[in-house]
Amino acid sequence: MPICRFIAILLACGYFSGSAFADSPAQTNDTNREIPLAAVAATRLMEQGDSKQAKAVLLEAREHFADNDDIAFLLGMLAMDEQEFESASAYFREILIRDPQAVRVRLELGRALFESGDYRDAGRQFRFARSGNLPTEVNANIDRYLAAIHHLQTFNWDVSVALAPDTNINAAPSIEEISIFGLPFQLSEDAKRQTGIGILLNTSAEWTPHIAENTRLRLGGSLYRTDYRGGGFDDTFVNVHVGPKFQFGDLELSTLLTGFHRWYGNEPYNHGTGLRQEVTYYPSSRTRLHTSLEHQWVRHDDVSSLDGTRTSWLGSWQYALTPSSGVMGVLGLSKESTELDMLSNTVYRGGVGYYRELFGGLTALIQPEYLRARYDDVTPAFGVERRDNLWRTRLRLTNRRWVFKGFTPELTLIRSSRRSNIDLYSYDRNQVQLGVSKLY
């Protein structure tokens, strides 16, 4: 009787307990749980070098145990041996959807992604796996993979597209009347809060070829656009940068020329050029520290009184807590100087974030953030120096179970509330973004 047929008959009798698969890489929480007989038989066939028959056994077994981690893991390992890295990645992702804490599976997913050339996602998987309780030699191997990724990765890109309902697309106040020079004025319809549903596109890319030992050229840019019916509140922002990056072990230094152009309501709004210095440091395989200092010369197309300079500093950190979760933080300070002191301002920024892969393929990211703006001089129409406080919270949910051509569904909810000592600048805003983004 062929072994596939024999296994199929035995499968009809269900599972059995045993220790033959107690060290299964897919098994992370219960080393005594029951293992399908097909997985044990396939393991023995693989040990004997009969991969073809082992695959046949596992594929037939999946018809009865479609959600079994051991069967999926062995099929992934067979796909690795056959250099079918995309198929292997699919099997390993399937297991992680059911068990995000499966460290060995995350390691194999990282290896499959590395072999397929998806270095960015591979690095992410390795860094999360590094936070697990692993032997010293395994950690050393992860570090070697991360070093190789650091050397080989020369192109990054991101893209997301979403339908974007918005309760306040023009960030306008809810009030009907405002006092200017002590006199009451009614807000025009254009100045009042507008709601709408837009289309959002957010994409970026960077090419970093080697130009010398420990030196690369960074050439990149980004495009952000929201498109609303009528076009009056459409917003487009294009940013580019170029310059060298120097690598010294775990330390990276970049000096970049930057440029940007913004269109609002499909009309030119402002543009500028600048210089940016970036420093990135990896104190450990689980930690990334980044800081940037940029100075820009800004010109406005219609309102020359807004022309001037903008200097900004931003610091951020990321840390992998566990194989399925991480934390991050950001601090920032920017100083904008314009031709009018009442429009010049200083903005302070701080925020934190928490990321976690949940069961069922759901990934959650929550990011609360606070911004405080202080203007340099009195606004004559209101008789005070403007003071703004903005609270913003972002909740992003991604479903890793549904993947098509490397893209996955994503839902983002953003709540913004700004309070100003000048009522005209206070507002509340709720945004929803439902679309797809590149999976990492």
Side-chain angles (χ1 to χ4, degrees):
M1 179 182 297
I3 190 168
C4 288
R5 179 66 175 166
F6 175 69
I7 293 298
I9 293 173
L10 290 178
L11 284 171
C13 299
Y15 287 87
F16 75 99
S17 294
S19 60
F21 225 20
D23 295 326
S24 166
Q27 184 177 326
T28 60
N29 297 321
D30 183 4
T31 57
N32 294 315
R33 65 179 173 82
E34 296 178 335
I35 309 300
L37 176 59
V40 179
T43 301
R44 292 171 180 167
L45 287 168
M46 291 167 67
E47 290 172 350
Q48 296 167 7
D50 195 349
S51 298
K52 182 178 180 180
Q53 190 63 59
K55 185 175 182 178
V57 169
L58 292 168
L59 289 175
E60 187 166 350
R62 262 175 78 86
E63 296 180 6
H64 302 269
F65 302 103
D67 295 331
N68 182 266
D69 290 351
D70 299 297
I71 292 172
F73 183 84
L74 291 173
L75 284 169
M77 296 303 290
L78 285 170
M80 290 291 290
D81 291 340
E82 296 170 355
Q83 298 187 358
E84 295 179 358
F85 302 118
E86 291 187 7
S87 295
S89 297
Y91 284 122
F92 298 140
R93 287 190 191 278
E94 173 189 322
I95 299 169
L96 290 172
I97 286 171
R98 293 188 289 264
D99 183 6
Q101 295 290 334
V103 181
R104 171 65 192 280
V105 179
R106 197 172 292 279
L107 284 172
E108 295 299 342
L109 174 58
R111 191 165 67 95
L113 293 166
F114 178 88
E115 296 294 343
S116 65
D118 191 348
Y119 298 124
R120 180 173 178 177
D121 197 4
R124 176 181 175 276
Q125 302 299 335
F126 281 129
R127 280 190 291 273
F128 276 112
R130 188 67 165 77
S131 64
N133 185 20
L134 298 171
T136 302
E137 59 272 17
V138 176
N139 285 331
N141 201 31
I142 293 175
D143 293 342
R144 282 192 288 271
Y145 268 109
L146 289 172
I149 290 170
H150 199 62
H151 178 76
L152 293 171
Q153 187 174 10
T154 58
F155 185 72
N156 282 321
W157 66 280
D158 276 300
V159 63
S160 61
V161 181
L163 189 68
D166 194 324
T167 64
N168 195 350
I169 60 179
N170 55 335
S174 300
I175 57 176
E176 299 286 332
E177 185 179 276
I178 188 71
S179 178
I180 302 177
F181 293 110
L183 299 174
F185 288 85
Q186 292 289 326
L187 266 67
S188 67
E189 289 302 316
D190 289 341
K192 293 180 181 179
R193 183 169 64 179
Q194 305 287 323
T195 62
I197 299 177
I199 301 295
L200 183 149
L201 171 66
N202 193 4
T203 182
S204 64
E206 185 179 68
W207 182 43
T208 55
H210 292 270
I211 56 177
E213 186 177 0
N214 299 324
T215 305
R216 297 190 184 208
L217 175 67
R218 292 181 59 185
L219 178 62
S222 63
L223 167 65
Y224 174 89
R225 177 171 173 82
T226 52
D227 193 303
Y228 296 99
R229 184 177 181 180
F233 300 106
D234 292 353
D235 197 1
T236 305
F237 186 85
V238 176
N239 182 48
V240 296
H241 62 263
V242 62
K245 178 174 75 173
F246 306 98
Q247 298 176 273
F248 307 95
D250 296 324
L251 183 68
E252 300 175 353
L253 303 175
S254 298
T255 301
L256 304 172
L257 295 174
T258 65
F260 75 90
H261 204 138
R262 183 184 179 190
W263 294 261
Y264 190 77
N266 295 314
E267 296 292 334
Y269 179 73
N270 65 3
H271 58 276
T273 57
L275 291 170
R276 184 165 74 235
Q277 182 69 54
E278 294 187 6
V279 179
T280 304
Y281 177 54
Y282 298 88
S284 73
S285 301
R286 301 167 60 179
T287 309
R288 179 180 184 269
L289 305 176
H290 179 80
T291 184
S292 66
L293 179 64
E294 183 170 18
H295 185 76
Q296 295 175 311
W297 293 266
V298 182
R299 294 292 179 266
H300 288 73
D301 293 84
D302 294 327
V303 186
S304 60
S305 58
L306 290 173
D307 292 349
T309 62
R310 183 187 302 135
T311 302
S312 58
W313 170 82
L314 186 67
S316 64
W317 58 271
Q318 298 174 352
Y319 180 73
L321 281 174
T322 72
S324 62
S325 66
V327 291
M328 60 202 72
V330 62
L331 288 174
L333 174 67
S334 67
K335 172 64 178 176
E336 184 176 17
S337 299
T338 68
E339 293 183 3
L340 296 177
D341 287 342
M342 69 175 186
L343 299 176
S344 300
N345 62 86
T346 303
V347 177
Y348 307 87
R349 176 185 177 190
V352 294
Y354 176 72
Y355 166 96
R356 186 172 182 85
E357 291 186 5
L358 306 172
F359 292 96
L362 192 66
T363 298
L365 171 67
I366 185 167
Q367 289 179 292
E369 188 176 25
Y370 171 69
L371 292 91
R372 177 180 180 182
R374 297 294 180 262
Y375 287 75
D376 292 355
D377 203 356
V378 172
T379 303
F382 301 102
V384 296
E385 296 178 358
R386 181 178 165 187
R387 300 286 186 265
D388 295 348
N389 296 282
L390 171 65
W391 285 97
R392 180 166 55 217
T393 302
R394 181 189 305 267
L395 173 64
R396 188 179 70 199
L397 301 173
T398 305
N399 194 326
R400 307 185 319 276
R401 181 183 292 274
W402 299 332
V403 181
F404 179 73
K405 300 295 185 180
F407 289 85
T408 187
E410 187 171 87
L411 172 66
T412 302
L413 308 175
I414 305 172
R415 166 67 178 176
S416 303
S417 180
R418 184 166 74 187
R419 294 294 173 261
S420 176
N421 61 339
I422 300 176
D423 289 341
L424 182 64
Y425 302 109
S426 295
Y427 70 82
D428 292 300
R429 185 177 188 181
N430 296 311
Q431 298 166 270
V432 178
Q433 298 169 5
L434 177 61
V436 295
S437 66
K438 193 172 187 301
L439 176 65
Y440 288 109

